[in-house]
Amino acid sequence: AQSVTQPDIHITVSEGASLELRCNYSYGATPYLFWYVQSPGQGLQLLLKYFSGDTLVQGIKGFEAEFKRSQSSFNLRKPSVHWSDAAEYFCAVGATGANNLFFGTGTRLTVIP
Amino acid sequence: DTEVTQTPKHLVMGMTNKKSLKCEQHMGHRAMYWYKQKAKKPPELMFVYSYEKLSINESVPSRFSPECPNSSLLNLHLHALQPEDSALYLCASSGAGPRHEQYFGPGTRLTVT
């Protein structure tokens, strides 16, 4: 069965600092992996996705993520955080042969001036 | 156009009311989804429609009744809800199959009194 773990419930970073949000997945086959961001009271916006190929994927808003099969990880990174990046971030895995996504519990990002 | 629209934005209903949530997309997607999201939690899948047919029902109580009138529209009919059903209800759409990202609407904030 698929599962996603986001070990960090809450992260606080200073504006301009680098960011890494962790995501570990459990899935027997090649996973389809996603990162979504959600501002309070809003829907989810797709930041980036990994299906196959290059393990370093670029997304919107300056985010990137690296797929590491050996570590079952898909961590999200940004070199310099902006105050507007404060939000909830969800990692998700899609299952082969199914339409549904399995979400991690989310990481709340706070950005301080 | 990568937009999923949802109406209404907010809904307050009593436990004896009947109401409906609406979702619309014009991206030609053939899979549509309903999720329920409680505060500080990830979205929980409720229903999946694939090619206008219900393909996944995650053991949702019968007081929630989904309907997919055509490939662009998705409704969620609500009847005799409980206060614990208060949540953000998110609609999403995607291409059919797991190798497609889901696009989310802004959600309907439902309060059951």
Side-chain angles (χ1 to χ4, degrees):
Chain A
Q2 303 88 346
S3 68
V4 177
T5 302
Q6 293 180 247
D8 304 304
I9 295 173
H10 184 205
I11 285 183
T12 299
V13 299
S14 298
E15 191 168 13
S18 63
L19 171 69
E20 182 169 30
L21 302 182
R22 296 183 290 164
C23 172
N24 293 96
Y25 68 90
S26 173
Y27 186 57
T30 299
Y32 304 126
L33 295 162
F34 308 84
W35 274 100
Y36 285 88
V37 62
Q38 184 178 34
S39 297
Q42 301 297 311
L44 280 71
Q45 181 182 23
L46 179 71
L47 288 175
L48 46 76
K49 63 192 179 191
Y50 172 79
F51 291 158
S52 65
D54 194 347
T55 56
L56 184 63
V57 294
Q58 302 297 320
I60 62 171
K61 304 186 179 189
F63 286 93
E64 66 177 26
E66 187 171 13
F67 171 62
K68 293 186 177 180
R69 184 186 300 275
S70 61
Q71 298 178 20
S72 297
S73 70
F74 188 56
N75 294 348
L76 182 72
R77 300 194 294 248
K78 186 169 185 178
S80 178
V81 170
H82 188 262
W83 64 266
S84 60
D85 294 322
E88 189 85 20
Y89 290 80
F90 292 100
C91 181
V93 62
T96 303
N99 265 88
N100 48 319
L101 289 177
F102 296 87
F103 285 91
T105 50
T107 297
R108 182 161 61 94
L109 174 66
T110 297
V111 180
I112 56 178
Chain B
D1 181 9
T2 58
E3 190 180 24
V4 176
T5 59
Q6 290 188 244
T7 55
K9 285 189 183 301
H10 302 276
L11 178 63
V12 179
M13 61 184 292
M15 289 190 282
T16 59
N17 292 157
K18 285 185 181 182
K19 297 286 185 183
S20 297
L21 309 184
K22 297 186 184 302
C23 174
E24 189 167 7
Q25 57 89 12
H26 294 288
M27 294 177 276
H29 289 164
R30 301 312 297 270
M32 296 186 75
Y33 312 76
W34 281 116
Y35 289 87
K36 174 183 177 181
Q37 187 180 26
K38 302 285 273 186
K40 301 186 187 301
K41 297 290 187 182
E44 298 173 26
L45 183 67
M46 301 175 71
F47 303 104
V48 181
Y49 274 83
S50 182
Y51 293 94
E52 294 97 70
K53 292 193 186 324
L54 185 64
S55 62
I56 296 177
N57 176 343
E58 291 287 354
S59 302
V60 179
S62 60
R63 58 186 184 266
F64 295 92
S65 175
E67 178 195 20
C68 190
N70 59 55
S71 60
S72 299
L73 292 173
L74 185 66
N75 298 322
L76 186 63
H77 302 297
L78 314 173
H79 174 53
L81 295 192
Q82 304 297 309
E84 60 264 29
D85 296 321
S86 298
L88 182 67
Y89 287 83
L90 295 164
C91 174
S93 71
S94 76
R99 203 179 168 90
H100 295 277
E101 58 272 30
Q102 293 183 21
Y103 292 88
F104 284 79
T108 293
R109 173 70 62 190
L110 174 67
T111 302
V112 182
T113 60

